[in-house]
Structures are given as structure tokens and as C-alpha cells.
Amino acid sequence: MTNPTTITAQPGTPFIEMRREFDATPAQVFRAYTEPELVVQWLGPRDLKMDLLEFDARPGGSYRYVHRDDQGNEYGFRGVFHTVLDGERIIQTFEFEGAPGQVTLEYATFEERNGRTLLRTHAVFPSVEARDSAAASGMESGMRDSMDRLAELLPAPGE
Amino acid sequence: MTNPTTITAQPGTPFIEMRREFDATPAQVFRAYTEPELVVQWLGPRDLKMDLLEFDARPGGSYRYVHRDDQGNEYGFRGVFHTVLDGERIIQTFEFEGAPGQVTLEYATFEERNGRTLLRTHAVFPSVEARDSAAASGMESGMRDSMDRLAELLPAPGE
């Protein structure tokens, strides 16, 4: 059975929160977040192809990737890592190249819960309007797809 | 006469805005923001000494500095640059090492106004509580000191 992904966008705030549990250890989930050969296998909606052009998950490292659909449309994203704390926390910037100058700061924390992992993310937008327009853009279904793909990628408990 | 520095922290938001005009061009103000030998001359309160340990103002570059008072107390700060757009805009992360994990995203824009510069900054905190506690910590007088010191450092118009 698939664990639920909970996404919260409190009205009037510039934040989006997400919670998801995984039947894997924090070290395993963290690894899927930081190793480029794993990241390409889960990040983004299922119906898009991803080219990971740069991915250096350490403080001061950069990343850039492009999602492509069947019609040949391209969506580029880029950012830098501020914090990469092994197995615990990642803090990074995020910018959609189609809306340059609207940069989000994204927190991800990996908490151990009886051998499983509670992943919590907290995205901070530069304004309530920027958050509202991101939330209206279909971002939520992309987040759910990503989390389900990540769960499928992780080793089964005990493996 | 000194130009005023306007600082706004709207209740219930995680933002702090600042506006300040300078009698200098955007290129000159931008240079003071990005060249380490100039940054050390204005960034921070007047009564603190600054050691700039790292300062690489380009996308993906890092910075770190330590402010020291007369009693030997040290206050470390660090971050990474997301955007450095020549003469126009800087977007960077900011973290006080005394409160690790509370990272701010800071926007600075440099706008030309009849040969003078309107500097606007927009700081985005991870929560309203983090913004409130930063605002209560004396940050505002440090910002005003910094802006006045920056104005003193800039060449007079026509120079």
C-alpha cells in the first residue's frame, strides 16, 4: 500500500509544507535525494523526461535540470545548496527558469520513526502571490508523483 | 545630508523590506556589494570588527564572515549566492551560525533613478516567528549602520 503524501498551503502565507513517510531508513531516503543517478529516477512528474545537467549536493554546490514533455516543451530548474547535513537535512534554493527572479528556499528534513522515515519539506516563496501561483500551476500533482516514484525506488525494508 | 533608510516588517508576515537611496550609480552600489575589499568596509554595525573569511559573489559562490565586539564575542554568518546579475540584482542565502537551520533568502535590487540608485532589499524568513525574533534582536540598527557606512564609502557624484 502506498503511504499518503500530505501537502499544506495555508491561505495568506508564502509557505508550502509536505509530509510523507517511507518504509526505509533516513540514510536511504537521504541518499535518493543527493545521488544524481538516483535523483533522475524519481524527481518530477511521471509523464516528463528529465535531463540532470548539474547536481552537486554539498554546501555551495549547484544543480540544474530540464523536464521535457512529449510535445518537446522544456522546463528548466536550477538552484544552489546551502546546507547538506548527512542523513538529516537539506536546505537549497529553487528557481523555475520560466519565472526568473522568483526564487524559493526549500527545507527537507529526514526523521527516523521506528526504522522508517518521516520526510518533511517546507518551501518558502518570496511572496504570498508567488506561492499561490505556484500552487495553482499543478505543482501539487508533480510533488505527489515524485514522492510515489521515490517510494518505488527505495529498497524494501530488510533488503 | 544622509538619505533615510526605510525598514518595514509587516506584522504576521515572514518578510523584512528595506529601501535606501544613494547618490551614486547602480554600478557603483553593486560594486560595493560584490567586491570583498569594499564589503568589509560597510557591512555590519559600526562598533563591530569584521573578518571576511570567504566571499565569492557569483552564482554558486559562498561567503562567510565573523563580526567581533570589544569583549571578544564572535558572531559568524554564512551563505551562498543564487543570482548575481551585474548592476541589477543579487539573491543569496543568509544564516547566523548562532541559530543554525534558520536560513533567510535575501533579494537586493539596484534601480537607476536619475543617475542615483534606489536599493531595495527583501528578506524572506522560514517562519513569521523567525522573522519576529530577528527583528527583535537589534538587526534594524545594524542595517541602518550598514547603509550609512555604505553611503560614506561611495564616491561623491561626479567623482
Side-chain angles (χ1 to χ4, degrees):
Chain A
M1 216 185 81
T2 308
N3 293 327
T5 300
T6 310
I7 298 171
T8 312
Q10 202 71 29
T13 74
F15 308 127
I16 295 181
E17 322 283 342
M18 187 186 70
R19 290 169 71 101
R20 167 81 185 224
E21 289 193 16
F22 294 97
D23 304 320
T25 65
Q28 289 168 325
V29 183
F30 184 86
R31 202 176 145 231
Y33 255 80
T34 50
E35 295 192 6
E37 61 276 21
L38 298 176
V39 171
V40 288
Q41 295 182 57
W42 67 266
L43 185 58
R46 284 187 199 276
D47 56 348
L48 300 183
K49 287 212 165 59
M50 182 193 201
D51 282 333
L52 190 57
L53 304 170
E54 191 180 356
F55 196 86
D56 183 12
R58 55 176 183 82
S62 296
Y63 70 89
R64 180 162 186 261
Y65 57 86
V66 176
H67 279 136
R68 293 173 215 278
D69 66 18
D70 285 344
Q71 286 76 50
N73 298 307
E74 298 190 353
Y75 308 92
F77 302 89
R78 75 169 196 94
V80 294
F81 292 95
H82 176 96
T83 296
V84 180
L85 197 59
D86 198 21
E88 290 184 29
R89 185 197 294 263
I90 298 169
I91 306 173
Q92 69 195 83
T93 63
F94 172 88
E95 181 179 26
F96 170 41
E97 293 177 347
Q102 297 283 353
V103 181
T104 306
L105 192 64
E106 301 194 327
Y107 289 71
T109 55
F110 306 81
E111 289 169 44
E112 201 270 324
R113 297 280 171 106
N114 304 316
R116 306 170 77 231
T117 301
L118 171 61
L119 169 69
R120 285 204 273 205
T121 69
H122 176 66
V124 185
F125 290 78
S127 66
V128 176
E129 296 70 28
R131 196 285 309 263
D132 287 346
S133 88
S137 74
M139 167 183 196
E140 192 173 318
S141 75
M143 288 166 77
R144 291 184 196 283
D145 263 11
S146 293
M147 291 298 103
D148 290 344
R149 295 174 72 198
L150 173 53
E152 292 160 18
L153 180 66
L154 290 168
E159 249 182 54
Chain B
M1 216 186 80
T2 307
N3 293 328
T5 299
T6 310
I7 298 171
T8 312
Q10 203 70 30
T13 75
F15 308 127
I16 295 180
E17 323 281 342
M18 187 186 70
R19 291 170 70 101
R20 167 81 185 221
E21 288 192 16
F22 294 98
D23 305 320
T25 65
Q28 289 168 326
V29 182
F30 184 85
R31 200 176 147 231
Y33 254 81
T34 49
E35 295 191 6
E37 61 276 21
L38 298 176
V39 171
V40 288
Q41 295 182 57
W42 67 266
L43 185 59
R46 284 188 199 277
D47 56 349
L48 299 183
K49 287 212 165 60
M50 181 192 201
D51 282 334
L52 190 57
L53 305 170
E54 190 181 357
F55 196 86
D56 183 12
R58 54 176 184 84
S62 296
Y63 70 89
R64 181 164 184 260
Y65 57 85
V66 176
H67 279 136
R68 293 173 213 280
D69 66 18
D70 286 344
Q71 285 77 51
N73 299 308
E74 299 190 353
Y75 309 92
F77 302 88
R78 75 170 195 95
V80 293
F81 292 95
H82 176 96
T83 296
V84 181
L85 197 58
D86 197 22
E88 289 184 30
R89 184 198 294 262
I90 298 169
I91 305 173
Q92 69 196 86
T93 63
F94 172 88
E95 182 178 25
F96 170 42
E97 293 177 347
Q102 298 282 352
V103 181
T104 307
L105 192 63
E106 302 194 328
Y107 289 70
T109 54
F110 305 82
E111 290 169 41
E112 201 268 327
R113 296 280 170 106
N114 304 315
R116 305 168 78 230
T117 301
L118 171 62
L119 169 69
R120 287 203 272 202
T121 70
H122 175 67
V124 184
F125 290 78
S127 67
V128 177
E129 296 70 29
R131 195 286 309 265
D132 287 346
S133 88
S137 75
M139 166 181 198
E140 192 172 319
S141 74
M143 288 167 78
R144 291 184 196 284
D145 264 13
S146 293
M147 291 298 103
D148 291 345
R149 295 174 72 198
L150 172 53
E152 292 159 18
L153 179 67
L154 290 168
E159 248 183 55

